Amino acid sequence: SNLFGHVKGAFTGAVYPKKGLFEIADRGSIFFDEIGNVPLETQPKLLRVIQEREFMRLGGVETIKVDVRIIAATNIDLQKMMQDGLFREDLFYRLHVITITLPPLRERKDDVPLLVQHFLQKYGEENGKPGLEIAPDALDLLMEYEWPGNVRELENVIERAAVLTQGSRIGTAMIPDQVRRSPTFQIPHIAVPPDGLSLKDVVTNFEKRLIESTLESAGGVQKRAAELLRIKPTTLNEMIKRYDIAPRRKRNGDAAETDQ
């Protein structure tokens, strides 16, 4: 009914006829956010209107022709859904004409200040607080965060700050704990001597020190250290042997044990 509309009496409560989104969007565009959530039983109907450019309202017999541009978005793997029988292959290839890949926010941090300014203006006006601005140290926290929820998460953070702030300037106190406590990693500064240095030796030394530090943080548990370094435990074990790194021991009172 939402997509194709319905006629009067098509179902209980259908007191009046209703136009669907396709009919309203004729000679325009219709945007499907999270196209993978379209039920399997609805997909053939969607495919027909895309291919034939015509449909019938729910409960009706009249064919309605439309000319609509389809824009679909998804953050899940539709090809895997096809393999699992959850998404029709013919619909996938009909939609897969021009693809635009939008990188996650963590890969385009330069967009953060622009988005922050946009959301400050939007939610400042909505809450009767025009002219909101963000403090530099608060912006630094937003720049360092990895944003697993992408732009929506950033928008929620700014909306929350705009609602809660008592002044016109948003400081670090208005930034949620999960953002403020995000771990950061700074590449150590290395001054290259006049006569140069060996890149291989520098990388090897840094890699060894990083493994030693991670093992210490993991209490000597190689499996946990591998998880922190995002490598396989077997790979970490080979590197430990290669660099002849002494095993770290877990403290448990006066007793100690080595995790292999």
Side-chain angles (χ1 to χ4, degrees), residues 72-105:
T74 181
N75 66 353
I76 56 179
D77 189 347
L78 292 182
Q79 290 183 314
K80 185 177 185 305
M81 289 188 67
M82 284 194 304
Q83 296 171 1
D84 296 338
L86 299 176
F87 200 86
R88 290 178 62 102
E89 184 176 355
D90 47 7
L91 177 57
F92 172 80
Y93 289 114
R94 194 65 186 84
L95 290 168
H96 199 258
V97 179
I98 299 175
T99 302
I100 301 174
T101 302
L102 183 64
L105 188 56

Side-chain angles (χ1 to χ4, degrees), residues 7-232:
V7 299
K8 180 180 178 180
F11 52 85
T12 304
V15 181
Y16 302 101
K18 172 190 171 183
K19 289 184 178 182
L21 296 177
F22 271 101
E23 193 170 352
I24 295 171
D26 187 27
R27 303 189 66 79
S29 302
I30 185 169
F31 174 59
F32 287 89
D33 194 9
E34 299 302 342
I35 189 69
N37 291 338
V38 174
L40 196 59
E41 61 271 17
T42 305
Q43 292 177 24
K45 300 178 178 65
L46 182 58
L47 177 64
R48 178 173 180 254
V49 72
I50 293 174
Q51 288 188 158
E52 307 297 333
R53 299 187 180 186
E54 61 181 31
F55 64 93
M56 289 187 293
R57 290 179 182 173
L58 184 63
V61 293
E62 178 188 359
T63 298
I64 300 173
K65 293 187 175 293
V66 290
D67 181 10
V68 178
R69 178 193 293 113
I70 305 293
I71 304 172
T74 181
N75 66 353
I76 56 179
D77 189 347
L78 292 182
Q79 290 183 314
K80 185 177 185 305
M81 289 188 67
M82 284 194 304
Q83 296 171 1
D84 296 338
L86 299 176
F87 200 86
R88 290 178 62 102
E89 184 176 355
D90 47 7
L91 177 57
F92 172 80
Y93 289 114
R94 194 65 186 84
L95 290 168
H96 199 258
V97 179
I98 299 175
T99 302
I100 301 174
T101 302
L102 183 64
L105 188 56
R106 64 178 176 273
E107 294 180 9
R108 47 190 177 100
K109 291 288 187 71
D110 290 345
D111 287 356
V112 171
L114 299 173
L115 290 167
V116 167
Q117 187 58 41
H118 168 71
F119 293 136
L120 281 175
Q121 181 178 354
K122 175 182 177 181
Y123 292 108
E125 292 176 356
E126 285 187 8
N127 291 277
K129 302 174 183 177
L132 283 179
E133 59 181 17
I134 190 164
D137 51 351
L139 182 60
D140 288 343
L141 291 176
L142 301 181
M143 293 291 290
E144 292 170 357
Y145 188 55
E146 290 299 302
W147 299 111
N150 289 306
V151 177
R152 286 192 182 97
E153 184 182 7
L154 174 60
E155 181 176 4
N156 290 339
V157 168
I158 299 303
E159 181 181 12
R160 173 185 181 274
V163 170
L164 296 179
T165 186
Q166 298 297 316
S168 61
R169 190 178 179 86
I170 295 174
T172 57
M174 293 291 102
I175 306 301
D177 289 343
Q178 78 270 14
V179 177
R180 283 190 287 166
R181 295 173 183 172
S182 62
T184 58
F185 175 75
Q186 298 293 333
I187 297 177
H189 175 72
I190 299 176
V192 179
D195 57 346
L197 49 73
S198 169
L199 175 63
K200 182 178 179 181
D201 291 345
V202 171
V203 172
T204 298
N205 182 54
F206 178 74
E207 199 169 56
K208 180 179 179 181
R209 288 166 53 194
L210 180 61
I211 293 172
E212 290 175 337
S213 176
T214 306
L215 283 169
E216 187 172 346
S217 299
V221 181
Q222 289 187 21
K223 183 178 180 180
R224 175 56 182 157
E227 291 175 353
L228 292 173
L229 292 172
R230 300 178 185 176
I231 60 176
K232 295 180 180 179

